Amino acid sequence: HYYITNNLSQVVMNTAVADSKVLVSFLNADGQNTGAPLEIPLDTTTNQLQVLVNALLGAEEKYQFHVNDFEITDSLRKTVVQQEDNISTENAIEIRYEPQAVFRVKAVTRCTSSMPGHGEAVINAAFNNDGTQLASGSGDASVRFWDLTTESPLHVCKAHKQWVLVIAWHPASKYVASACKKGDICIWDPKSGTHILGKILSGHKKYISSLAWQPLHCSKNNMTLLASGSKDNSIKIWDVVRGQCMITLTSHTQGVTSIRWSGDDLIYSASQDRTIKVWRPSDGVMCRTLQGHGHWVNSMALSTDYATRIGSWDPALQGKAQCNDPVTVYNKYKGAGEEFMVSGSDDFTLFLWNPAKSNKPVCRMTGHQQLINQVMFSPNGRKIASASFDKSVKVWDGKSGKFVSTLRGHVRAVYQVSWSADGKLLVSGSSDSTVKIWCMRTFSLLQDLPGHADEVYTVDWSPCGTKVVSGGKDKVLKIWRA
């Protein structure tokens, strides 16, 4: 093994123009060493690192390389010079390699359409699993569907009596669920805009804060299940086909703020009682309680959120025949290792959890100066973004919880963030009426997108990567494209 690895390093030494050498060790995405440390030229390029790692692994993959969370884009020397305060060439430099995304997303740069129609503020807007359809919910008590080809209104759906606070696309795009301030849920057909059940799912006594569909690969017996979390402290699981409440989960002592249905077929619920609870939806058993936050838990995200969102649609097969097997697609995009969860709170902190292993947090993440409004994993689960009322977005390592960078540019509270499908870009919407695009290679502002006349409440980057939607207090939806 020593003979082989030294021969490999010699190949790189001979092809690089080097005046100095450093000792490096290669780590995979999970932080495990690949082979023994090697001595290579400081001027080694990314292409030469590709050759070296593929030879070590006996593979033919394309990788991206990071030192201290900063991507090596040209040569190792440039990255070491940029990070000279944090890197010592006297010790082995740890280079982390990760497979590149299956496709690259271009940064959106222009507003292709401003779509008025809602009579009050747009509270939420979301693309479906493949980014070909768009739905929005508003303070005018309506849900609207939009034609993305002509960028014009498609259907106006009215059944709610109060503000539509939440909308959620079914992972196969068969339905859209909407929930309002009164505590009612409606299920819509996005193609026709009709109210599918002909009746409202009612049962919650207060407003509904969160909705989550059962992931497609977890579905059994052709049942379509939806979970809802409410200010009345409860979570309800609904059989959407029959229009019935199957189970009510009650253990929280204050309002439920966020729920997630995981790829392992568990339901996570965050609450104002400062706890996160894990439930088994098949029989309603509470598996464990995660404690640590000192104030309301506002937001929660899973490292598998992107994999469960796209259902059976494979982004790598855009424009080609889809495999249509949700289990295959989920396993391809869920990432290596266990499912991680991150929570953000009014106590200005985040917690990273590995609920499959322990009810103790992996890491407590501090740095924000005000409450955290939203947290979100990148599609590959390797990074976390947190949006805060302290006007900043922070980026964290998705496995260790280690702080990576602060994105500053907004001048008022940041409400929401959304990742591009390749995890290299991030969009944020703020109270300062702007949408901003951030580069995750340099952790700097890439595009400032003004245009809204008031606060931006919601942003979403389409799973196909080609467009971004934003909406807010000015009652207008904007579509942004490259």
Side-chain angles (χ1 to χ4, degrees):
H1 179 75
Y2 177 81
Y3 176 77
I4 293 169
T5 52
N6 267 296
N7 269 357
L8 291 170
S9 62
Q10 195 63 45
V11 169
V12 178
M13 284 183 210
N14 291 339
T15 54
V17 180
D19 54 18
S20 56
K21 299 170 187 174
V22 288
L23 201 63
V24 300
S25 56
F26 290 101
L27 280 66
N28 63 16
D30 295 323
Q32 296 169 332
N33 276 304
T34 303
L38 305 174
E39 194 177 54
I40 65 172
L42 198 52
D43 287 321
T44 301
T45 64
T46 50
N47 289 337
Q48 291 164 335
L49 289 173
Q50 296 272 16
V51 172
L52 183 50
V53 171
N54 275 322
L56 282 169
L57 298 174
E60 284 295 324
E61 286 261 4
K62 284 202 166 185
Y63 298 98
Q64 55 190 40
F65 301 92
H66 295 83
V67 176
N68 286 356
D69 295 308
F70 279 83
E71 188 176 351
I72 303 171
T73 55
D74 188 353
S75 69
L76 182 57
R77 179 186 293 278
K78 280 192 177 179
T79 306
V80 169
V81 169
Q82 288 168 352
Q83 292 288 297
E84 59 185 347
D85 294 338
N86 303 320
I87 298 174
S88 169
T89 53
E90 293 179 7
N91 302 320
I93 297 173
E94 291 185 341
I95 299 177
R96 189 183 292 257
Y97 63 90
E98 298 169 349
Q100 287 186 4
V102 289
F103 61 98
R104 187 174 288 276
V105 175
K106 290 182 180 176
V108 298
T109 57
R110 61 202 168 93
C111 176
T112 58
S113 189
S114 290
M115 302 189 296
H118 281 296
E120 290 294 336
V122 179
I123 298 171
N124 41 65
F127 292 104
N128 69 330
N129 70 323
D130 63 1
T132 58
Q133 300 176 73
L134 174 67
S136 60
S138 165
D140 65 7
S142 74
V143 173
R144 287 175 182 255
F145 293 94
W146 306 85
D147 185 331
L148 288 173
T149 307
T150 60
E151 298 188 348
S152 60
L154 192 60
H155 305 296
V156 180
C157 308
K158 295 187 176 178
H160 291 290
K161 301 290 186 240
Q162 293 196 34
W163 302 349
V164 178
L165 299 176
V166 198
I167 56 170
W169 280 91
H170 181 266
S173 297
K174 286 198 296 184
Y175 312 110
V176 169
S178 61
C180 72
K181 192 177 174 187
K182 190 183 172 191
D184 294 337
I185 299 170
C186 294
I187 309 296
W188 309 94
D189 177 356
K191 288 198 171 104
S192 64
T194 53
H195 192 190
I196 287 174
L197 297 172
K199 68 172 185 178
I200 289 171
L201 301 179
S202 55
H204 284 296
K205 297 180 180 66
K206 294 184 179 177
Y207 72 79
I208 293 168
S209 58
S210 191
L211 295 170
W213 291 95
Q214 183 181 37
L216 220 50
H217 69 279
C218 299
S219 182
K220 299 179 184 73
N221 305 321
N222 292 321
M223 294 179 76
T224 305
L225 302 181
L226 174 73
S228 58
S230 168
K231 173 70 174 169
D232 67 9
N233 309 355
S234 72
I235 301 108
K236 290 183 183 288
I237 301 174
W238 307 85
D239 181 340
V240 168
V241 176
R242 294 180 190 163
Q244 295 174 343
C245 177
M246 293 175 59
I247 306 173
T248 301
L249 311 174
T250 54
S251 183
H252 284 296
T253 56
Q254 290 189 51
V256 176
T257 55
S258 180
I259 58 172
R260 283 285 188 277
W261 203 316
S262 84
D264 296 332
D265 206 18
L266 295 169
I267 291 175
Y268 295 84
S269 61
S271 167
Q272 292 176 336
D273 66 9
R274 303 177 297 173
T275 68
I276 298 158
K277 295 188 186 289
V278 188
W279 311 83
R280 200 166 59 217
S282 56
D283 52 12
V285 169
M286 188 180 76
C287 306
R288 60 185 74 88
T289 299
L290 310 178
Q291 294 179 305
H293 282 296
H295 211 307
W296 297 353
V297 185
N298 290 327
S299 179
M300 184 174 47
L302 296 169
S303 58
T304 55
D305 278 345
Y306 182 78
T308 55
R309 176 183 184 179
I310 59 178
S312 59
W313 179 75
D314 187 341
L317 301 175
Q318 286 190 62
K320 302 175 186 174
Q322 292 284 328
C323 73
N324 295 322
D325 177 25
V327 177
T328 304
V329 174
Y330 175 75
N331 288 331
K332 181 176 178 180
Y333 288 96
K334 74 181 180 69
E338 295 102 349
E339 190 172 56
F340 279 74
M341 189 261 287
V342 65
S343 55
S345 166
D346 265 20
D347 65 7
F348 309 171
T349 70
L350 297 87
F351 277 89
L352 183 65
W353 311 84
N354 184 351
K357 279 190 173 176
S358 171
N359 60 359
K360 303 291 182 194
V362 175
C363 178
R364 180 172 182 258
M365 299 135 78
T366 60
H368 279 297
Q369 304 299 309
Q370 289 194 45
L371 67 86
I372 292 149
N373 201 44
Q374 193 203 14
V375 292
M376 194 176 188
F377 272 97
S378 62
N380 58 18
R382 293 185 192 123
K383 285 192 171 59
I384 297 163
S386 56
S388 170
F389 274 41
D390 66 7
K391 310 173 194 172
S392 76
V393 176
K394 289 187 185 292
V395 182
W396 317 80
D397 185 274
K399 300 291 183 186
S400 65
K402 191 175 75 172
F403 170 75
V404 175
S405 187
T406 300
L407 310 178
R408 297 195 189 278
H410 286 295
V411 293
R412 292 177 70 180
V414 186
Y415 289 140
Q416 272 204 338
V417 291
S418 185
W419 289 90
S420 65
D422 62 357
K424 291 183 178 294
L425 301 166
L426 185 75
V427 61
S428 58
S430 164
S431 169
D432 65 11
S433 82
T434 68
V435 174
K436 296 187 191 295
I437 307 294
W438 308 89
C439 174
M440 290 297 104
R441 184 171 58 80
T442 58
F443 302 107
S444 60
L445 181 64
L446 198 61
Q447 292 286 341
D448 191 3
L449 304 174
H452 281 286
D454 213 325
E455 304 185 19
V456 180
Y457 292 148
T458 181
V459 291
D460 188 30
W461 206 311
S462 64
C464 60
T466 57
K467 47 198 170 288
V468 168
V469 65
S470 61
K473 203 171 178 179
D474 62 2
K475 312 173 191 175
V476 172
L477 277 170
K478 287 185 181 288
I479 303 291
W480 310 85
R481 296 180 190 259

